[in-house]
Amino acid sequence: MGRWADGWMEGQTYTEQICRLVHQCVHLPAWRCRRRCGPAQMGQRSSNEARALPTTQHLAMSGKKDFDGIFLGTTNGPQAVGLFKLSAAGVGWKNQATGEITTIPAADIKELKWLRVARGHRLRIGHNNSSVYMFDGFSKEAYDHLVSIGKEFYGKALDPVDVSIKGYNWGTVDFQSSTLSFNVAKKLAFEVPLTQVANTAVGGKNEVSIEFAPTSAPSAPGRRAQEDTLVEIRFFVPGMVTAGQVDEDDEGRRQFKDKKEDGDDDTIELTDGREEGEIPHEAQQVVYGDDGEALTAAALFCETIKQKADMGTIQGEAIVSFSELLCVTPRGRFVVDMHETFLRLRGKSHDYKILYTSIKRMFLLPKPDDLHYVFVIGLDPPVRQGQTRYPYLVFQFGREDEIEIDLSLSNELLETKYAGRLQKSYDGPLYEVVSDVFKGLTGRNVTKESLQYRSAHGQTGLKASQKANEAILYPLDKSFLSIPKPPIFFAFSEIAAVTFARVSSGSSSSTKTFEVRFSLNSGVEYTFSSISR
């Protein structure tokens, strides 16, 4: 039997003999064996000697280039787990649930960082295009192996990062490319990938809120995601901005200076003989905004996040942009930048990033005034402004508004991915062009007015009141829709009962309006009043 026979001992059962030989061949300590063998079963090997032997994890690490059970931590929401591999060509990660593969070529690896996180250790990979990849779930023993792999394959050192564990919520913020780092006592407390920011706004004078895009990671088949998701974080940013803190991007927009790549503190260069450590007077001067008022640190902090979020998420220019579209709910005018997988609404005080997968339904309907069209977008999850949620976006267009645009798409994409869904150029009414582009990029149908219903005045919608708000109620082919505030949608299949009131003759015959109440299967009731007879 060769090696096996050489280690056979008298006086032990067959199972004990096999277990002892396995221990000798793979050098597995006693506490690692499922049979919980002691020194007696290991040929009287002492417990101290058994504990001193390397584990299988230590031995296998020497030639290991792939790691299972690694989490991709650059997305908001439930993290995806998969297989992580390293090679001379680069690194790769494969989602074990969806099979989706993420790769980083070796030539694009800018830096490697190692830090302790809640789920084991993290390998943080900086990309040449300023993006950041975070892989969680490494064991502590993997560090030495990754150090050698980083030097051998990529010529990069794996730098450990000190993490603050004090639990303080007061510190300093560094911007580095598309990542925000919050530091306590010059140690990293947490990082925020700005590519996941959906909206940011200044609340009050010194408070900045950051809202995150909803997760697009699918749950396991047949299961609903149970993990909690971070949706908002707020920063208190006091004080005014000085000239030494401000930088400008390529478009001349003001922003906070990036942290230097070498990790040194951001100091002011001395060029006129001042003593070391002395800050130039011009660097201490207060910066003024376009309105002539002193620029607050909170306002510049908010603008910097907007610019960094755009830089990280928008790869190349938008497929198409629509300028100054009037939004009735939430109220304001927005620039709508449409990309391949998401759209961004850019307003005066709020910006939103909306994934196309969050768009559940769309409607294009004429208003009873014969002057406007409304385009309604149903979202799940809804966008948020503070504590207010908006599950529907309602845009309004003039019937006479025209537009002529060209899409920034190659002919190859138009003929393959968007075949039959998009055109290279559009020329026509604004409401039709916007709805057609949304339909092509999202892959969802746009519901239009019902051909089976017309009011006494030939309109497709009824003017009504919903509580204290004016409303337009649209009877559609399979549902009802009420706009603009608040938008209400329910299907015919959800209706348990319909009750009409103020329709009887007699003393109320002079009443020119009536009301209708819809009782849904869920117990919710909607009442629409002031409907003309």
Side-chain angles (χ1 to χ4, degrees), residues 15-34:
T15 303
E16 290 171 340
Q17 294 280 6
I18 293 298
C19 187
R20 188 182 70 84
L21 292 172
V22 170
H23 277 294
Q24 292 177 348
C25 290
V26 301
H27 304 288
L28 185 67
W31 60 271
R32 297 282 290 181
C33 179
R34 289 189 179 182

Side-chain angles (χ1 to χ4, degrees), residues 110-346:
K110 183 179 181 181
E111 63 178 8
L112 301 174
K113 301 289 185 182
W114 178 263
L115 60 154
R116 184 73 169 90
V117 292
R119 201 193 302 262
H121 288 75
R122 168 179 293 172
L123 176 63
R124 184 179 184 273
I125 302 178
H127 197 283
N128 285 332
N129 65 2
S130 300
S131 59
V132 175
Y133 294 84
M134 303 177 190
F135 299 96
D136 297 353
F138 290 95
S139 64
K140 181 179 180 180
E141 291 77 15
Y143 174 74
D144 292 336
H145 176 63
L146 292 174
V147 167
S148 62
I149 289 292
K151 291 181 179 178
E152 178 184 354
F153 286 169
Y154 317 123
K156 304 292 182 182
L158 180 59
D159 300 323
V161 177
D162 291 334
V163 179
S164 174
I165 57 174
K166 291 185 176 181
Y168 295 171
N169 67 339
W170 181 268
T172 60
V173 170
D174 288 329
F175 289 98
Q176 189 169 6
S177 299
S178 59
T179 302
L180 181 154
S181 301
F182 187 84
N183 305 300
V184 175
K186 297 185 177 180
K187 291 185 178 181
L188 177 67
F190 62 85
E191 291 179 313
V192 177
L194 298 180
T195 55
Q196 300 303 315
V197 173
N199 180 33
T200 180
V202 178
K205 183 178 180 180
N206 298 317
E207 189 175 79
V208 179
S209 64
I210 300 176
E211 298 175 12
F212 296 97
T215 176
S216 58
S219 305
R223 293 185 60 189
R224 190 174 181 179
Q226 299 295 324
E227 293 87 348
D228 292 331
T229 300
L230 178 65
V231 297
E232 184 181 42
I233 185 170
R234 291 176 179 265
F235 291 93
F236 178 76
V237 189
M240 300 296 175
V241 177
T242 59
Q245 299 174 298
V246 181
D247 197 2
E248 292 186 354
D249 64 2
D250 296 337
E251 300 180 8
R253 298 178 298 182
R254 290 172 175 170
Q255 62 181 16
F256 274 112
K257 287 184 177 179
D258 265 14
K259 178 183 178 182
K260 292 187 177 181
E261 296 182 4
D262 56 9
D264 294 337
D265 292 335
D266 207 14
T267 57
I268 305 298
E269 182 179 358
L270 305 177
T271 58
D272 53 2
R274 281 190 274 276
E275 294 183 4
E276 184 177 358
E278 184 181 354
I279 300 177
H281 175 70
E282 58 271 16
Q284 304 179 52
Q285 293 181 348
V286 175
V287 177
Y288 292 88
D290 297 334
D291 56 358
E293 298 290 334
L295 184 62
T296 64
L300 186 62
F301 184 79
C302 180
E303 289 301 318
T304 303
I305 291 174
K306 290 180 182 180
Q307 296 168 29
K308 300 291 185 180
D310 286 343
M311 179 184 65
T313 58
I314 299 177
Q315 300 178 359
E317 59 184 30
I319 294 176
V320 63
S321 292
F322 299 103
S323 299
E324 297 299 314
L325 296 187
L326 175 61
C327 189
V328 180
T329 307
R331 181 166 294 278
R333 288 190 176 272
F334 293 90
V335 176
V336 181
D337 297 324
M338 306 199 68
H339 300 265
E340 190 171 346
T341 58
F342 69 94
L343 66 93
R344 184 173 290 277
L345 301 181
R346 295 189 286 114

